[in-house]
Amino acid sequence: MHQTIGVLALQGDFEKHEQMLHQIGVKTIQVRKPHALNECVGLIIPGGESTTLSKLIQLYDLYHPIQSFAKKYVIMGTCAGLILLGTDIDDQRIVPLKLLNISISRNAYGRQIDSFVTYLNLPFIDQTQSNDPFKCIFIRAPQITHVESNVHVIMTNNSQPIMVQSHNILGITFHPELTDDTRIHQFFVDRAFVLNNEINSR
Ligand code: GLN
């Protein structure tokens, strides 16, 4: 199987994620139909507008295919993408995928004008990468208000979880794709390829 990563391309800044993956030499495919998932070993759900994305996921019959995909492969959701991955969201218009056992409050930092940037250390980088702080860009970001015990908090900002992981599902409240720093995408891709190799060697 090709080591291709899918990017959900219904709405939002999916092209930015593709550009990041291309920078690290990874092939991408835009996912708009369920069959596209058959070609991928990982999926990114981008930022955008979670209410719209949720509607489009239903309209394009992607809800159950994404849930099945999550049984085998890695999924990363950023900002609105993270909202969709959660179990409990403070907006009934969103049908959550329930892949990350967390509660989420949308737009919890305030309006567009309350968007902000902060520089934080990445706890998972290896010796071959720079350990400079990462530019974390929050745009009308959600807050993770509760994390169940099967979810690991990877990064926090002012003791608030901003990057969480549950086995093969990674959720980030900010936008790594809007930087020129590929370290988070590399972390995700490494995990995708390792899991895929494990599956193929069974
Ligand atoms: N505020 C958006 C929402 O709740 C998310 C913003 C983003 O993805 N940058 O859907």
Side-chain angles (χ1 to χ4, degrees), residues 114-128:
D114 301 308
S115 298
F116 63 99
V117 173
T118 186
Y119 290 81
L120 298 168
N121 287 327
L122 296 178
F124 50 76
I125 47 150
D126 65 35
Q127 300 299 319
T128 61

Side-chain angles (χ1 to χ4, degrees), residues 11-13 46-53 78-84 89-91 94 104-108 110 112 115 137-142 172-175 177-178:
Q11 193 260 339
D13 70 339
E49 186 59 38
S50 50
T51 49
T52 308
L53 270 165
T78 55
C79 204
L82 161 100
I83 297 174
L84 293 165
I89 298 153
D90 66 349
D91 188 328
I94 296 163
I104 298 161
S105 174
R106 286 187 67 210
N107 301 327
Q112 192 76 12
S115 298
I137 303 173
F138 293 83
I139 304 172
R140 290 185 74 218
I172 303 172
T173 62
F174 54 95
H175 285 273
E177 75 285 6
L178 298 181

Side-chain angles (χ1 to χ4, degrees), residues 27-43:
K27 275 184 30 183
T28 62
I29 179 172
Q30 296 189 354
V31 175
R32 293 196 184 84
K33 300 222 167 98
H35 68 79
L37 290 170
N38 300 336
E39 293 173 48
C40 318
V41 299
L43 176 71

Side-chain angles (χ1 to χ4, degrees), residues 35-105:
H35 68 79
L37 290 170
N38 300 336
E39 293 173 48
C40 318
V41 299
L43 176 71
I44 295 181
I45 306 183
E49 186 59 38
S50 50
T51 49
T52 308
L53 270 165
S54 185
K55 269 191 213 135
L56 293 174
I57 285 174
Q58 316 267 353
L59 192 68
Y60 285 74
D61 286 327
L62 279 159
Y63 184 83
H64 294 294
I66 292 174
Q67 283 185 326
S68 308
F69 186 83
K71 294 199 174 108
K72 277 196 182 170
Y73 299 111
V74 175
I75 301 184
M76 172 167 87
T78 55
C79 204
L82 161 100
I83 297 174
L84 293 165
L85 291 175
T87 32
D88 173 38
I89 298 153
D90 66 349
D91 188 328
Q92 301 308 313
R93 291 172 296 174
I94 296 163
V95 183
L97 287 158
K98 300 193 177 182
L99 296 172
L100 262 180
N101 220 342
I102 55 175
S103 304
I104 298 161
S105 174

Side-chain angles (χ1 to χ4, degrees), residues 1 26 33 47-48 80 85 108 119 152 159 187-188 192-193 200:
M1 191 189 207
V26 174
K33 300 222 167 98
L85 291 175
Y119 290 81
H152 170 58
S159 49
F187 172 70
F188 169 72
F193 290 177
N200 287 336

